[in-house]
Amino acid sequence: MPDTCNISFLDRVRAILSDLPASERRLAQFTLDFSGDLSSYNASELASLAQVSNATVTRLIRRLEYANYEAARKQIRSERTDDSFSPVNSPLSPGETTLHSHLQESYSKLGNTYRHLSQSALLEASQAISRARQVWLIGLQANYFLAGHFHWHLSKFMPGVRLIPGAGQTVSEYLTVIQHQDVLIIFDLHPRASQMPELIRLLEARCADLVLITDQDYKERPKTRWSLPCQPGREQLPDNSVAVASLSHLLLSEVLKVRGANRRDESAQELAAAEALF
C-alpha cells in the first residue's frame, strides 16, 4: 500500500478488501457497511458485532497501517466531523444551483424528521428488536425495497430476520406463524397499499410489538406501539427518500449499540460465574 497518511479509513479498507483472508474480509466489509458507527465501539465490541476474533481486528488494523485500533477510531471521528454542511456565499452556476437546491431540500427533510423523532420510542424499539425471537420486515409495493434494504443490513448481525411477503405470496399467509415474542417492522410510506390499515390491525392482534415507519403527515396512521414518522418525499417525482433512509440507518445503529451492550453484560455474567466456580 502507498503512503497512507492522507488516505481516509474507508479508502484504506477498499484498497485491500479483495486481497484479505476470509475473516478479515468479513470484518472489513462490516466496517464499510456500518462505517458511521465504528468510533462508538472498542475493539472487542467490534469483533463481537462482526462475529470475528479480537485477533482478527488487530490484524486488519495493522494491515491498514494504523499503530493501533484507537488511532483508527481517531481518524474515523475526524472524518465524520468534516462532513458538516456549510452555507454557500459565492454566486453559483446554474448547475451548482441545482445541486445546492437538492442538498438543501435533503437537509430540510432530515431536520424535520429528527426534530419530531421520539428518543424513547427509538430506544424501546431498538431494545425490542434486539431481544426478539423473530423480526419480520414488511413493505408492500413501493415500500418493499425500503424493507428489503433494512432486512439486508439487519440480517448481517442478527439471526431470525425475515422479509415478507415472498414472491407470489401475501402477508396474511404468515399470520399463523407470527408470535407475541416477535417484532414487526413495517414500512408504510406514500404511495401506500390501500389495505395497509386493515393489515396492520390484523398483525397487531398477533404481535403487539410493532414498529411503524411512516410519513409525518399521515393523519390516519394506525396507533402502533412504536411509531417512527419521517418527512415524506412525495412533493416531486421521483420521491426523495433521504429521510427514511437516514431513519433506517439510525434504527440499525441503535440496535447495534443495544446488542453490543447486551453482549458485554453476558460476558460479565459468564466471567463472574467462572470466578465463582473456580
Side-chain angles (χ1 to χ4, degrees):
M1 179 183 288
D3 179 25
T4 58
C5 60
N6 295 317
I7 301 178
S8 72
F9 174 84
L10 296 183
D11 284 342
R12 296 192 197 201
V13 174
R14 295 186 186 106
I16 65 172
L17 181 64
S18 60
D19 299 323
L20 294 173
S23 61
E24 291 180 50
R25 187 164 61 252
R26 184 188 311 122
L27 173 61
Q29 188 61 58
F30 184 89
T31 66
L32 293 176
D33 292 338
F34 296 97
S35 58
D37 306 298
L38 294 181
S39 60
S40 302
Y41 307 108
N42 62 37
S44 295
E45 291 167 346
L46 177 62
S48 178
L49 291 170
Q51 298 180 0
V52 298
S53 66
N54 286 359
T56 299
V57 176
T58 300
R59 287 195 299 270
L60 179 62
I61 291 299
R62 289 175 178 170
R63 203 184 296 271
L64 294 172
E65 299 189 9
Y66 289 103
N68 49 48
Y69 181 71
E70 288 306 312
R73 290 177 77 183
K74 182 178 180 180
Q75 182 175 5
I76 293 167
R77 282 194 292 267
S78 69
E79 290 167 355
R80 290 187 67 183
T81 61
D82 290 341
D83 293 333
S84 57
F85 176 63
S86 300
V88 177
N89 298 316
S90 58
L92 300 175
S93 69
E96 291 172 332
T97 299
T98 299
L99 295 176
H100 188 67
S101 175
H102 188 82
L103 183 59
Q104 286 184 312
E105 178 194 355
S106 296
Y107 269 89
S108 175
K109 291 182 183 297
L110 290 170
N112 287 334
T113 295
Y114 281 76
R115 276 194 294 272
H116 295 92
L117 192 61
S118 167
Q119 177 63 28
S120 60
L122 179 67
L123 179 58
E124 290 172 9
S126 303
Q127 292 171 337
I129 292 169
S130 69
R131 63 173 180 263
R133 181 196 72 96
Q134 183 92 32
V135 178
W136 304 87
L137 273 298
I138 301 172
L140 301 183
Q141 298 179 2
N143 289 280
Y144 190 79
F145 88 94
L146 298 171
H149 181 263
F150 195 100
H151 167 265
W152 188 88
H153 283 288
L154 187 62
S155 62
K156 291 292 183 180
F157 57 85
M158 269 192 67
V161 181
R162 295 188 62 181
L163 174 65
I164 60 174
Q169 297 178 322
T170 64
V171 176
S172 60
E173 296 176 46
Y174 295 88
L175 290 177
T176 57
V177 295
I178 294 175
Q179 300 181 18
H180 277 283
Q181 307 98 306
D182 301 346
V183 170
L184 300 166
I185 304 175
I186 299 179
F187 286 80
D188 184 30
L189 298 109
H190 178 87
R192 60 178 48 83
S194 59
Q195 68 269 34
M196 278 305 296
E198 178 60 26
L199 177 58
I200 289 175
R201 282 192 287 270
L202 291 173
L203 291 169
E204 282 190 300
R206 297 292 308 174
C207 175
D209 288 346
L210 196 153
V211 182
L212 180 64
I213 298 176
T214 189
D215 302 314
Q216 282 179 345
D217 60 356
Y218 181 27
K219 297 180 176 59
E220 300 175 1
R221 65 174 181 254
K223 304 296 184 182
T224 56
R225 173 162 292 180
W226 300 298
S227 180
L228 301 177
C230 60
Q231 181 74 15
R234 64 174 181 270
E235 292 89 347
Q236 59 188 22
L237 290 174
D239 286 349
N240 185 342
S241 301
V242 63
V244 65
S246 180
L247 179 57
S248 295
H249 181 268
L250 175 62
L251 181 57
L252 285 164
S253 301
E254 290 301 308
V255 174
L256 262 174
K257 289 180 182 178
V258 172
R259 287 182 62 80
N262 289 344
R263 290 187 180 183
R264 287 196 301 272
D265 292 342
E266 291 170 1
S267 298
Q269 291 172 4
E270 291 171 359
L271 179 60
E275 289 176 345
L277 180 63
F278 295 105

